[in-house]
Amino acid sequence: MFHYLKFTNYFITTLLGISAIVFAQHWILFGFGIFISFYIIGDTFFGEDLSQPNLNKKWALNAMLYASVPTTFILLTACIWLVTPFDWPLMHLLSTALGYDFVAAKANTNISEILVAMIFCGLMLSGIATVVGHELIHRIGNKRALTIGRCLMALSFDACFSIEHVFNHHVHVATENDPVTAPRGRSIYKHVPIAIWGTNKSAWLIEEKRLNRKKQHVFSLHNQFITGWLMTAVWLGFVFLVGSWQGVLFVGVVGFIAKIVLEIVNYMEHYGLVRHPRERVMPRHSWNTNRKISCWAMFNLPRHSHHHAKGAVPFEKLEAMPDAPVMIGGYISTIAIVLLPPLWFKLMKPKLQHWDETMANESELAIIKLQQAQNLPTNQDEKRLV
């Protein structure tokens, strides 16, 4: 039973985080500090999960995944409440019932606490909606799962993820044709805009090719790129009705932060690794981690090496792959390091050298040598920052 229940930890921490948002004021700062500390300290001291349990209760696994929908709804409702100018009778009733004045607490929340709340909610949204959305959009034969996955991703301006991620990223990972695989020396601050533009462009081209093959109009509702952005527009329109422009601004920033977190995660999962386009994807082409807290919180997404070697495998069957290249830490701590390029480059240099010496084949070494010979600007960036 433990191997089922371990995947519920993120729901618990998210619900506690939502409580901090609703209680407002200093509770936001307190909740954010506890949230970050739990995942960094947990990954540091709780070790790795190398277990391979045989989880056959599919209904329980699906229940945990789909529980993200109401949890996300509660999270975003709290986001809207924190900034909306509208008065919600429900919050007056809740204040009376619990003996805490939520309305006054909201009114006394200052701008710095609001800004922290945006980051806090963006992180929670990326974990509860983006991670589950990623799992569901891989179930391309299941229309319900795919639709729910797209809806979850639309909250972070990324419903098109269902197109690009499955049909481009997984095909071209670790090659120059993959916009989310960062070459060595490129900082996260250069990579995020490149990745966002590249993934949207790739998704459009994939849909254009698909619709031309089916002899359907590209500029129509048959185009999933267009319908994906319409899903986001409808969502923001609904937010405006219940939360005014303040709600749209807050929720929009939260969604954009979640999108940035996704690209940061992509960056650290694939940074500096190369593959010949005609060779199959192997576990060595993605950075992996088996840290317990990260794996349990993110439905085994950190077992990324196996995920890319066999993309159709559901999260509960992903293997630990102890021989795969190992990330420098758990996901939250690595995200923090990525934001400091000099430190990131310094820590990744020996790991890339080890990968070159022990895992790369001749064609991959030739690609690395060619990149170095071309003296790409990104290499100069790394030298300057380090």
Side-chain angles (χ1 to χ4, degrees):
M1 182 59 68
F2 169 76
H3 289 295
Y4 290 92
L5 293 177
K6 67 186 182 183
F7 292 114
T8 65
N9 86 89
Y10 198 84
F11 292 99
I12 296 171
T13 56
T14 299
L15 289 173
L16 291 174
I18 292 169
S19 299
I21 298 299
V22 174
F23 275 80
Q25 292 182 289
H26 65 276
W27 291 106
I28 295 172
L29 307 181
F30 181 74
F32 181 65
I34 293 295
F35 183 88
I36 294 295
S37 299
F38 172 74
Y39 285 105
I40 293 179
I41 295 173
D43 269 333
T44 301
F45 294 103
F46 285 17
E48 296 185 325
D49 180 7
L50 302 178
S51 63
Q52 300 291 159
N54 188 18
L55 303 180
N56 294 318
K57 293 182 175 62
K58 198 68 178 178
W59 65 268
L61 298 168
N62 285 333
M64 286 187 287
L65 287 174
Y66 291 118
S68 66
V69 176
T71 307
T72 300
F73 175 77
I74 296 170
L75 169 63
L76 294 173
T77 300
C79 290
I80 297 169
W81 156 251
L82 185 63
V83 297
T84 180
F86 300 150
D87 194 17
W88 292 1
L90 173 63
M91 299 309 294
H92 290 281
L93 293 174
L94 195 60
S95 296
T96 302
L98 297 181
Y100 180 86
D101 195 338
F102 293 96
V103 178
K106 167 189 166 181
N108 292 324
T109 302
N110 61 45
I111 186 64
S112 62
E113 291 162 344
I114 292 290
L115 293 175
V116 171
M118 286 179 171
I119 299 171
F120 191 7
C121 292
L123 281 172
M124 289 192 287
L125 182 65
S126 67
I128 205 68
T130 304
V131 170
V132 175
H134 166 265
E135 175 69 21
L136 295 178
I137 61 98
H138 271 284
R139 303 181 178 187
I140 56 178
N142 185 331
K143 188 174 181 179
R144 181 185 66 176
L146 184 59
T147 300
I148 294 176
R150 279 169 55 80
C151 288
L152 290 172
M153 299 302 297
L155 301 173
S156 56
F157 307 95
D158 212 12
C160 302
F161 184 83
S162 63
I163 306 167
E164 199 282 334
H165 181 81
V166 176
F167 300 108
N168 188 71
H169 174 57
H170 271 263
V171 175
H172 298 296
V173 65
T175 72
E176 62 181 10
N177 294 320
D178 177 29
V180 305
T181 298
R184 301 178 186 193
R186 179 190 290 171
S187 76
I188 188 61
Y189 300 102
K190 282 193 173 183
H191 179 71
V192 167
I194 291 173
I196 291 175
W197 170 257
T199 52
N200 276 276
K201 178 182 178 181
S202 173
W204 174 265
L205 294 175
I206 290 170
E207 274 300 275
E208 184 178 47
K209 183 177 180 180
R210 182 183 70 87
L211 293 171
N212 285 336
R213 186 173 62 249
K214 297 180 70 173
K215 300 188 184 307
Q216 293 177 331
H217 292 293
V218 174
F219 292 96
S220 70
L221 294 181
H222 295 293
N223 190 325
Q224 293 182 25
F225 183 93
I226 293 175
T227 57
W229 279 101
L230 285 176
M231 291 164 70
T232 298
V234 169
W235 159 242
L236 293 179
F238 170 77
V239 173
F240 179 77
L241 292 176
V242 299
S244 191
W245 65 266
Q246 293 96 327
V248 173
L249 178 61
F250 190 93
V251 168
V253 172
V254 166
F256 187 61
I257 289 172
K259 170 60 177 173
I260 291 175
V261 171
L262 170 62
E263 296 307 341
I264 293 174
V265 169
N266 275 328
Y267 175 89
M268 66 197 206
E269 287 170 340
H270 303 290
Y271 173 79
L273 300 180
V274 299
R275 176 177 65 89
H276 193 283
R278 289 196 292 272
E279 295 181 358
R280 63 174 295 189
V281 179
M282 301 294 288
R284 69 174 185 273
H285 295 124
S286 301
W287 295 104
N288 198 66
T289 182
N290 295 306
R291 293 287 177 178
K292 287 180 180 177
I293 300 302
S294 285
C295 285
W296 298 351
M298 305 181 75
F299 291 97
N300 279 339
L301 178 66
R303 293 184 170 186
H304 213 62
S305 293
H306 190 203
H307 173 65
H308 267 281
K310 295 184 178 180
V313 173
F315 78 91
E316 71 274 11
K317 295 186 182 299
L318 291 175
E319 298 175 6
M321 296 285 170
D323 295 329
V326 181
M327 197 178 290
I328 58 179
Y331 267 42
I332 295 294
S333 58
T334 303
I335 287 173
I337 293 171
V338 161
L339 297 177
L340 303 170
L343 179 59
W344 168 255
F345 293 141
K346 182 178 180 179
L347 293 176
M348 287 303 296
K349 187 174 181 178
K351 284 192 168 290
L352 286 169
Q353 184 176 351
H354 178 264
W355 189 87
D356 295 348
E357 294 172 353
T358 64
M359 298 185 187
N361 60 28
E362 291 185 5
S363 62
E364 290 161 352
L365 290 173
I367 293 172
I368 295 168
K369 186 176 181 180
L370 178 61
Q371 290 178 345
Q372 293 172 339
Q374 290 174 336
N375 194 25
L376 296 175
T378 51
N379 292 336
Q380 294 174 4
D381 290 342
E382 180 174 1
K383 292 175 183 177
R384 183 175 65 252
L385 288 166
V386 174

